[in-house]
Amino acid sequence: MNEFFMKKLLKLLTILCVIACCISVPKVEARVRRYKWEVKYEFKSPDCYRKLAITINGRSPGPSIIAQRGDTIIIELKNSLLTENTAIHWHGIRQIGTPWMDGTEGVTQCPILPGDTFEYKFVVDRPGTYLYHAHYGMQREAGLYGSIRVLLPESESEPFSYDYDRSIILNDWYHNSTYEQSAGLSSIPFAWSVLIQGRGKFNCTTPGLPTGLCNASNPECAPYALKVVPGKTYRLRIGSLTALSALSFEIEGHNMTVVEADGHYVDPFVVKNLFIYSGETYSVLIVANQDPSRNYWASAKVVSRPSTTPNGLAILNYYPNHPRRNPSTNPPIGPHWDDVRSRLSQSQSIKARPGFIHTPPQRSDRVIVMLNTQNNVSGYRRWSVNNVSFNLPHTPYLIAYKYNMLHAFDQQQPPEGYDSATYDIYRVQENANATISNAAYRLKLNTTVDIILQNSNTMNRNNSETHPWHLHGHDFWVLGYGEGKFDRVNDSSKFNLVDPIMKNTVAVQPFGWTALRFEANNPGVWAFHCHIESHFFMGMGVVFEEGVEQVGELPTSIMGCGDTKRYFKP
């Protein structure tokens, strides 16, 4: 080839390279993932005791939602409960641009009536580990829940490596119905179990059990078996949807490296046992590096309250051992139930992973201090925030604000604090000024809000409970934890403003405080409440409104209750 043709070829190659560089690589198109679900009652024996459970397509836990970031999820949900309304909340999904799909009955939608079919449609906008569960009455603890796993696009990778990905939900399971519990938790004996991925083992020889309802040999209550291949690394996405209990989860002989919390990467740290509270999700990495000739116990123990309930048990099944082959060892005992310091220490260890830190605003525009109290109001025991016990209105807030139906709920602003100078958090208080209200906090759009959660004594002497608080529609920065009464001057100066983790659920420990910060940048109306089912049912929650005027036209499918009936078009 002569010099002339060489120059021509080089020029042509240069032009082709320029063209190639200018052409952008096409983005992977987001998918639409469709699900068709039927919610109905079925008899189940998850812990060997037969009772009615609420299922999705016959399953409890329900089907897992597995998607990639940016995918649209469409769920056609038929309510076949016959005599009961329902609604499902997509826990941890922020519903940016679709606040009416949050699935919170009384806040963002009317309930789905028996026999009706409702379509949920929303985008999963970031990777992580999330949950879904009923948000109507106390249906969550009847079995209506499941997991959501949002993956990165295939062209991207996590900042840690693993071979296999698994989801596990921890739950507590009660033998009395949700109606009996809402009427006063009155069954005798008050019987319950801890479930791992929907399976547990209740003692069928417990005195007082009705004849024929408990069968210890029922294969439905055989321990859940997680199969592992020796030498491989597993990402376990662990979520808790307990109705009451805080738990400690551990796997016999295996350390766990915490790498994700509520959809955010954690600066990795190693634990023997993982403390987890209702509404939280964590990803941990385990390596199947123990003796492969046997299986190992996984155990979930009740902490934060005294309990005689046996640990929930599952089996880490080393292939090719049989999954029903019980380990020859005793299950891990777990930490003592009242070891608050260990639980607080783990919470304080959770920091954002370097390279994935979302730096919080250095100052807030508003501070709301929320004293978690217990009261007697009109002869009923209630949970309260600043002595105000919350009740949902008949007309959902989102619709009421959008269509100016403000008569539908109380308009007096809830209190933004309490008399911290004189209130003794260590003493039983009469709280004679306690009231019941459904008023909401109105937040200015795009402002920064600090929430200080303060725990105090209940109506029982020397007693303060652990409360996991969950915020809908947002993530928040966890700025700090402390023991005793929050000091607005000294404790605020110690906030972590460098690498705080972002979460959607956080615990406040007995006689302690937790500080969080969030940006009110998601137009809508959002619940913020204790994720213990009975505590929210009994009034431990609030509602935030922000920028509803910027919310688009509401679908009529979310209407049909209270004052929204005139807007409903079947």
Side-chain angles (χ1 to χ4, degrees):
M1 186 179 292
N2 61 36
E3 185 177 352
F4 174 78
F5 283 109
M6 280 290 293
K7 288 181 179 180
K8 287 287 187 181
L9 180 60
L10 288 172
K11 187 175 181 179
L12 178 61
L13 289 173
T14 301
I15 293 172
L16 290 174
C17 287
V18 171
I19 293 173
C21 291
C22 293
I23 297 175
S24 60
V25 177
K27 294 182 178 179
V28 177
E29 289 294 327
R31 294 179 55 183
V32 176
R33 300 180 185 264
R34 297 181 180 272
Y35 300 84
K36 192 170 184 177
W37 290 357
E38 183 181 14
V39 175
K40 61 181 178 178
Y41 270 111
E42 291 193 5
F43 280 103
K44 293 289 183 181
S45 302
D47 68 343
C48 306
Y49 186 94
R50 188 171 183 262
K51 66 163 281 188
L52 274 177
I54 300 180
T55 65
I56 297 176
N57 297 347
R59 297 167 56 184
S60 177
S64 294
I65 294 174
I66 301 177
Q68 289 184 335
R69 184 187 64 205
D71 286 353
T72 297
I73 307 298
I74 299 177
I75 295 160
E76 183 184 309
L77 184 75
K78 181 180 180 181
N79 179 10
S80 294
L81 295 179
L82 300 180
T83 59
E84 246 180 287
N85 301 330
T86 195
I88 292 184
H89 167 54
W90 315 99
H91 183 112
I93 306 301
R94 293 174 294 177
Q95 300 294 348
I96 297 172
T98 54
W100 50 82
M101 288 295 162
D102 188 54
T104 314
E105 181 270 334
V107 179
T108 61
Q109 71 167 97
C110 290
I112 306 167
L113 301 178
D116 280 1
T117 297
F118 184 89
E119 185 179 271
Y120 286 104
K121 183 178 181 180
F122 53 89
V123 173
V124 288
D125 65 308
R126 96 210 125 127
T129 306
Y130 310 104
L131 303 162
Y132 67 83
H133 59 80
H135 220 294
Y136 179 84
M138 296 171 70
Q139 289 179 346
R140 185 182 89 212
E141 60 190 80
L144 184 45
Y145 63 88
S147 64
I148 303 174
R149 189 190 309 173
V150 182
L151 310 174
L152 284 168
E154 293 176 3
S155 59
E156 300 180 35
S157 60
E158 308 273 7
F160 43 83
S161 60
Y162 51 91
D163 299 299
Y164 298 101
D165 199 345
R166 300 287 186 268
S167 295
I168 297 174
I169 297 181
L170 309 177
N171 200 20
D172 42 17
W173 185 252
Y174 299 83
H175 295 166
N176 54 339
S177 71
T178 56
Y179 301 108
E180 290 173 300
Q181 293 178 58
S182 62
L185 305 174
S186 57
S187 69
I188 302 174
F190 183 49
W192 57 291
S193 304
V194 175
L195 307 185
I196 299 178
Q197 199 59 13
R199 295 192 175 197
K201 184 74 72 171
F202 183 72
N203 182 4
C204 290
T205 63
T206 301
L209 292 183
T211 303
L213 289 184
C214 199
N215 178 8
S217 62
N218 189 333
E220 192 177 346
C221 59
Y224 170 70
L226 175 65
K227 182 179 291 185
V228 297
V229 176
K232 299 297 184 181
T233 299
Y234 289 79
R235 178 181 186 171
L236 304 185
R237 300 173 184 259
I238 305 169
S240 174
L241 282 175
T242 54
L244 182 65
S245 310
L247 297 174
S248 170
F249 177 80
E250 64 182 294
I251 301 174
E252 177 192 6
H254 294 72
N255 288 329
M256 296 179 285
T257 302
V258 182
V259 293
E260 180 225 344
D262 290 359
H264 291 275
Y265 296 130
V266 169
D267 193 6
F269 65 98
V270 177
V271 296
K272 175 185 176 183
N273 61 286
L274 177 74
F275 294 111
I276 186 168
Y277 306 91
S278 181
E280 287 191 314
T281 62
Y282 289 98
S283 283
V284 301
L285 302 181
I286 68 164
V287 182
N289 58 4
Q290 299 300 301
D291 179 2
S293 67
R294 53 163 292 202
N295 292 333
Y296 297 81
W297 290 112
S299 175
K301 178 183 180 177
V302 174
V303 295
S304 83
R305 62 177 60 246
S307 172
T308 58
T309 301
N311 293 6
L313 297 177
I315 293 175
L316 188 70
N317 168 218
Y318 269 70
Y319 181 81
N321 297 312
H322 195 283
R324 298 287 175 85
R325 180 182 170 188
N326 284 353
S328 57
T329 53
N330 292 323
I333 297 174
H336 202 267
W337 71 269
D338 61 354
D339 185 1
V340 177
R341 289 293 177 89
S342 293
R343 302 203 304 270
L344 188 60
S345 176
Q346 181 184 285
S347 294
Q348 292 170 332
S349 299
I350 304 174
K351 311 293 184 186
R353 187 179 183 116
F356 297 90
I357 297 172
H358 300 277
T359 305
Q362 297 300 289
R363 293 179 178 81
S364 65
D365 301 302
R366 186 173 178 180
V367 179
I368 302 175
V369 181
M370 296 185 175
L371 177 72
N372 296 331
T373 59
Q374 201 178 51
N375 322 96
N376 285 322
V377 184
S378 301
Y380 292 92
R381 182 66 55 89
R382 302 280 300 190
W383 286 99
S384 306
V385 174
N386 296 334
N387 283 339
V388 176
S389 190
F390 178 74
N391 263 3
L392 285 167
H394 294 296
T395 302
Y397 292 95
L398 179 62
I399 308 169
Y401 275 116
K402 183 65 177 176
Y403 294 109
N404 202 32
M405 296 184 288
L406 302 186
H407 61 276
F409 55 91
D410 299 339
Q411 290 303 299
Q412 183 176 356
Q413 184 86 351
E416 304 212 359
Y418 70 106
D419 184 4
S420 61
T422 62
Y423 196 99
D424 185 353
I425 66 169
Y426 297 101
R427 185 171 62 85
V428 175
Q429 300 283 339
E430 292 184 5
N431 295 327
N433 61 334
T435 60
I436 295 177
S437 173
N438 55 21
Y441 291 93
R442 303 201 73 167
L443 308 178
K444 186 176 179 181
L445 190 63
N446 295 321
T447 58
T448 301
V449 181
D450 279 1
I451 302 294
I452 311 299
L453 296 168
Q454 175 69 64
N455 254 351
S456 64
N457 208 104
T458 66
M459 299 296 287
N460 302 315
R461 292 185 61 187
N462 301 318
N463 176 257
S464 181
E465 298 197 15
T466 301
H467 299 289
W469 278 78
H470 171 56
L471 178 59
H472 293 225
H474 305 78
D475 291 332
F476 49 73
W477 291 274
V478 183
L479 301 184
Y481 303 85
E483 298 175 282
K485 188 186 293 186
F486 178 77
D487 184 319
R488 189 158 180 169
V489 175
N490 294 324
D491 289 329
S492 296
S493 67
K494 301 173 186 175
F495 284 169
N496 178 11
L497 301 175
V498 178
D499 58 354
I501 191 65
M502 295 193 79
K503 296 181 95 272
N504 61 62
T505 304
V506 71
V508 54
Q509 299 293 350
F511 298 114
W513 58 266
T514 300
L516 56 95
R517 176 171 293 175
F518 73 97
E519 293 180 299
N521 57 7
N522 191 7
V525 184
W526 309 104
F528 180 49
H529 61 91
C530 179
H531 212 259
I532 292 175
E533 191 86 318
S534 58
H535 290 189
F536 182 45
F537 183 81
M538 296 164 65
M540 187 174 273
V542 299
V543 164
F544 296 126
E545 179 274 331
E546 57 196 68
V548 166
E549 67 279 359
Q550 295 194 20
V551 172
E553 184 177 353
L554 302 180
T556 60
S557 60
I558 68 170
M559 304 177 191
C561 60
D563 288 348
T564 73
K565 293 176 182 176
R566 57 195 169 108
Y567 292 94
F568 179 61
K569 299 176 182 178

